[in-house]
Amino acid sequence: MVQDMFKGIAVVDHKDWKNPKKVEFPAKTFYDNDIDIKIEACGVCGSDIHCAAGHWGDKAMPLVVGHEIIGKVVKLGSKCNTGLKVGDRVGVGAQVFSCLDCDRCKNNNEPYCPKFVTTYSQPYADGYVSQGGYANFVRVHEHFAVKIPENIPSHLAAPLLCGGITVYSPLLRNGCGPGKKVGIVGIGGIGHMGVLFAKAMGAEVYAISRSNAKKEDAMKLGADHYIATKEDPDWGTKYFDTFDLIVVCASSLSDIDFNVMPRAMKVGGRIVSISVPEENEVLTLKPFGLLGVSIANSMLGSIKEIEQLLKLVSEKNIKIWVETLPIGEAGVKEAFERMDKGDVRYRFTLVDYEKEFD
């Protein structure tokens, strides 16, 4: 039986974020449309690092991060009506609440709802601060849990729930498909998925990175072309009028020259960033360079889009590149330290939850 005290691996001090501790913490109030999920895997996202380290400001402690959650439904609220059943394997991404009543929510734009609540670190309306997936259980509104196709293993499904959907949504919304030339900037945890998805969607894919260090990986992932921007600083002129869409997946925008990139775009082309950098970063560009080109920022993706992504991955048998680590103080510490150094190809998923918590 699920208790109202959960256990998790938590950051207890931003200054000592690489040394998380096992803690007990109260669950949020169980409402009529809530479900409880016993967690079996959780991806490690770059957002976890930013939040744990205090890059996005001070957060309430203890802080259990993790918003790429896979687990089994163990309890349903009395008014649940989405068809979920006890025992279903489901995923929860970076959002656990919205009003579900505004025009944005009704048009599958829940991440843009003013009442958006992130999976961890943000207060609900009742004051409870959300806690994430480095824990034995998570309690969420049923709308924000999606069923996972049987042929996607949990450790590969987890990173799709935030990293995957974050790059899939702008690809989907901006016409990625056959006949389109699409660039993916930053071949890392999210960018490597962008290459896989854009290729699966039928586009001609250009992997764009600072150096040639990831060229071999990019080609293995299915990229048709590779651009090393430091080797060719005026690459925008070389690739003039090439791209229909570029999705910027770099964790920082400091090294992106937005005065070069627009030259490579077709008229009507779109540059979409999914980066959420440190608070002090500022985007600088010359407005005349944007003639005929749009530049925007994209946030997560809707529940409907997550379902579409899972269908694509299932049907195309897409295999993202994942390394597993055991949940626990030592496993989370290793994940944090290696993520901070960029020592991952290309995602971590925390596993062995039953060994740690049961």
Side-chain angles (χ1 to χ4, degrees):
M1 182 177 177
V2 179
Q3 303 298 316
D4 283 332
M5 291 295 294
F6 295 167
K7 296 178 181 178
I9 309 301
V11 176
V12 295
D13 183 347
H14 285 308
K15 295 179 181 178
D16 194 30
W17 65 278
K18 291 181 183 176
N19 289 295
K21 304 298 179 186
K22 189 173 184 177
V23 301
E24 275 199 328
F25 61 94
K28 80 176 201 68
T29 299
F30 191 91
Y31 294 106
D32 290 342
N33 286 102
D34 282 345
I35 62 173
D36 280 342
I37 300 167
K38 185 177 183 181
I39 301 173
E40 62 183 44
C42 186
V44 180
C45 183
S47 301
D48 299 349
I49 307 303
H50 283 303
C51 204
H55 295 161
W56 294 341
D58 291 340
K59 305 298 182 183
M61 299 288 164
L63 171 64
V64 179
V65 299
H67 56 205
E68 297 178 337
I69 301 166
I70 304 292
K72 298 280 179 63
V73 177
V74 293
K75 183 179 178 181
L76 294 164
S78 61
K79 293 184 179 179
C80 286
N81 60 9
T82 58
L84 291 177
K85 302 183 300 295
V86 169
D88 283 346
R89 187 172 62 127
V90 297
V92 176
Q95 180 176 11
V96 288
F97 191 78
S98 70
C99 77
L100 300 179
D101 194 45
C102 67
D103 284 344
R104 292 184 175 192
C105 287
K106 290 178 178 178
N107 287 285
N108 298 304
N109 284 311
E110 301 100 321
Y112 302 93
C113 174
K115 294 186 178 179
F116 174 106
V117 176
T118 58
T119 304
Y120 58 78
S121 81
Q122 186 175 356
Y124 283 87
D126 65 7
Y128 180 85
V129 177
S130 57
Q131 300 286 3
Y134 297 7
N136 56 351
F137 294 96
V138 66
R139 178 172 291 172
V140 299
H141 190 289
E142 61 171 339
H143 179 82
F144 295 95
V146 296
K147 290 188 70 171
I148 304 299
E150 289 184 6
N151 68 327
I152 308 178
S154 292
H155 74 288
L156 298 183
L160 303 176
L161 275 302
C162 177
I165 190 59
T166 299
V167 68
Y168 178 72
S169 179
L171 289 172
L172 184 68
R173 292 183 182 221
N174 292 282
C176 178
K180 301 295 185 179
K181 294 185 178 181
V182 175
I184 303 294
V185 177
I187 312 306
I190 294 179
H192 97 280
M193 289 189 272
V195 172
L196 285 165
F197 301 159
K199 187 67 178 177
M201 294 166 80
E204 184 176 344
V205 182
Y206 292 70
I208 304 172
S209 189
R210 285 173 292 185
S211 72
N212 281 306
K214 295 180 179 176
K215 183 174 183 178
E216 184 177 348
D217 283 357
M219 305 316 283
K220 287 179 181 177
L221 289 163
D224 299 289
H225 312 276
Y226 189 89
I227 300 172
T229 59
K230 293 294 185 184
E231 304 293 325
D232 190 0
D234 194 26
W235 65 274
T237 299
K238 180 177 179 180
Y239 291 92
F240 174 77
D241 203 31
T242 294
F243 293 99
D244 299 283
L245 172 65
I246 288 181
V247 180
V248 180
C249 302
S251 60
S252 168
L253 298 178
S254 298
D255 290 331
I256 307 295
D257 192 334
F258 286 98
N259 294 311
V260 171
M261 187 179 294
R263 299 175 200 160
M265 305 304 297
K266 293 181 180 178
V267 173
R270 298 179 180 182
I271 300 169
V272 183
S273 170
I274 58 89
S275 177
V276 185
E278 295 185 25
E279 285 184 314
N280 61 352
E281 285 203 24
V282 176
L283 185 66
T284 58
L285 53 89
K286 296 175 182 176
F288 285 113
L290 294 180
L291 292 174
V293 177
S294 300
I295 187 167
N297 192 266
S298 177
M299 181 178 179
L300 302 179
S302 69
I303 295 301
K304 182 179 179 181
E305 288 171 333
I306 293 175
E307 292 171 343
Q308 290 174 295
L309 171 59
L310 292 170
K311 186 173 186 287
L312 176 73
V313 171
S314 174
E315 291 181 348
K316 299 283 188 178
N317 197 30
I318 298 170
K319 302 293 186 185
I320 64 173
W321 293 12
V322 173
E323 179 180 343
T324 59
L325 291 171
I327 186 70
E329 292 178 359
V332 174
K333 176 181 175 68
E334 180 180 347
F336 283 175
E337 289 179 339
R338 290 179 58 187
M339 286 276 286
D340 195 38
K341 293 187 295 186
D343 177 24
V344 54
R345 289 289 189 274
Y346 279 99
R347 298 291 287 199
F348 286 128
T349 297
L350 298 167
V351 295
D352 294 341
Y353 273 66
E354 287 198 356
K355 291 181 182 178
E356 175 66 21
F357 295 117
D358 290 352

